[in-house]
Amino acid sequence: MKRTTFVKNFFYLFFVLLASNIAFAEIDSYYVGLKAYQDGFYDVSLMNLEDFLKTDNASKEAIFAKYLLYKIYLKQNNIQKAKEYFQMIKDLNDDRFDNKSMSFDEVYLTAIDNCSKAYAIIDQKKDYSLNKALIGTKCAIDNSTNIDIQELPDSLKFSYIMQINDKALIKKTFEMLNLKNLTNEQIKQLSIKLYKYELITEFWKAYETYRDKDTINLAIERVWKVGKYEDVIKGYNYNRQHALLPETYCMVLDAHFKTNKKVNYSIIEKCFTAKDEKYYKALIRAYSVNNDIPMLKNLINSLPDNQSNILCELGSSVITANLLDKKNYKRLINCENIDNISNDLLQQGLTFHLIQIHFGMENQKSYYYLAYAYGLEGKKKLLKKYYDKITVKDLKNNIYKRFKRYLK
């Protein structure tokens, strides 16, 4: 012992004894040892507690003295003495003991001599945080220690898999596992790890043993990624009682669209967390797939103003399919593709609809389309009215060439 430590302990003991002599007629080495332990003077504590045990080996004070001695010897790395005192009290039920730290210490002390027994203790207690007690021992379960994997109980094979990053070793260890010996939570964590490392065959084996919403999400994602859309729908229908991730519902929705299957509209509500452009487009497509014309027409005519671009993308089809109400024709006028829409209507001879879109609009393009529509209808006065308003040479020439017999 260093001289400074000796002096420090001497004076600590002197003042404890002095205080005790003032209060009591006799000195109780147990209380001196207890106080010294609480204050961190472990050498003083050890000496007094061992003196106390020479005269008392069975009282409740003696039991706690043994507990403190195992703790002190463990702190001092005197493994043999720590084990000796630990064995005396490990099976006792005492509220003064820190049972969690005792479990940790039991694993550590056992692992010094016997890995299999240490693994068995962890397995028995079902507390896999105790794996940390193996760190620094020959039994450590990590990626850097050579251990006999086959020797591990299944629960610790699981722990080993969760700590390593070698795909081949994960696969090898998994093949040694009996999944029936794992908890559902362990199987779930194992499934997620296997999926992450693209061990798909192994993933399906774990998945068939136990599944929950988290692993169902992964299973549907996997089937969707490989293009088995019918199986995506079957998997969803089988597990629909589970609340899945929004992105999983989106995959299910996509599978319905790709297979042209009727869509349950609730899938759309669960897929999209916001009623944005993608949401409305998905609804339109679903109504179309389901041939639900009343719902489709109602949606198209009630689209929010900030979704008018959807009408533009649908173009003239919303008119030719009789989906857009007359009162909403004007919503098409601001479309960037209004020329395409207008020309499509002209080609189909839908002059009434074209007039409804452009009527009342004071611009050269609207004058052009109105003139053209009235010309097709043989309404000469209205043709000439809008022809005369056109000042753009190319537009005016086009109308003249098409309807010059009316304009002479």
Side-chain angles (χ1 to χ4, degrees), residues 130-250:
L130 295 177
N131 288 334
K132 294 178 182 178
L134 302 174
I135 295 173
T137 74
K138 62 182 180 181
C139 312
I141 303 175
D142 58 36
N143 201 26
S144 61
T145 308
N146 289 322
I147 62 174
D148 184 356
I149 300 171
Q150 190 66 53
E151 181 187 354
L152 299 174
D154 287 315
S155 56
L156 293 186
K157 289 189 183 84
F158 158 77
S159 295
Y160 183 61
I161 288 175
M162 298 308 293
Q163 295 183 61
I164 59 179
N165 301 312
D166 186 309
K167 182 176 179 178
L169 194 52
I170 293 172
K171 177 180 172 65
K172 176 183 175 183
T173 308
F174 177 81
E175 290 170 352
M176 300 177 188
L177 267 176
N178 183 346
L179 294 174
K180 293 180 180 179
N181 292 330
L182 299 185
T183 66
N184 288 342
E185 179 62 24
Q186 288 172 326
I187 296 173
K188 167 187 170 177
Q189 293 179 30
L190 185 61
S191 297
I192 294 170
K193 177 106 179 188
L194 293 168
Y195 189 86
K196 176 182 176 182
Y197 280 83
E198 298 184 349
L199 292 166
I200 303 304
T201 300
E202 292 73 17
F203 166 78
W204 286 122
K205 184 176 179 182
Y207 177 81
E208 289 302 319
T209 305
Y210 172 75
R211 71 190 72 179
D212 69 357
K213 64 183 180 64
D214 294 319
T215 53
I216 291 168
N217 283 313
L218 297 179
I220 291 177
E221 178 186 83
R222 175 62 188 178
V223 177
W224 178 80
K225 280 184 174 180
V226 298
K228 295 183 177 180
Y229 303 118
E230 296 276 0
D231 289 341
V232 169
I233 297 171
K234 289 178 184 177
Y236 165 71
N237 288 333
Y238 184 80
N239 296 292
R240 64 191 310 164
Q241 73 272 20
H242 294 277
L244 306 177
L245 293 173
E247 50 264 40
T248 303
Y249 288 111
C250 290

Side-chain angles (χ1 to χ4, degrees), residues 5-23:
T5 304
F6 174 81
V7 172
K8 187 177 181 182
N9 287 338
F10 174 80
F11 278 106
Y12 176 83
L13 182 58
F14 173 78
F15 286 114
V16 170
L17 292 173
L18 180 61
S20 300
N21 274 320
I22 294 171

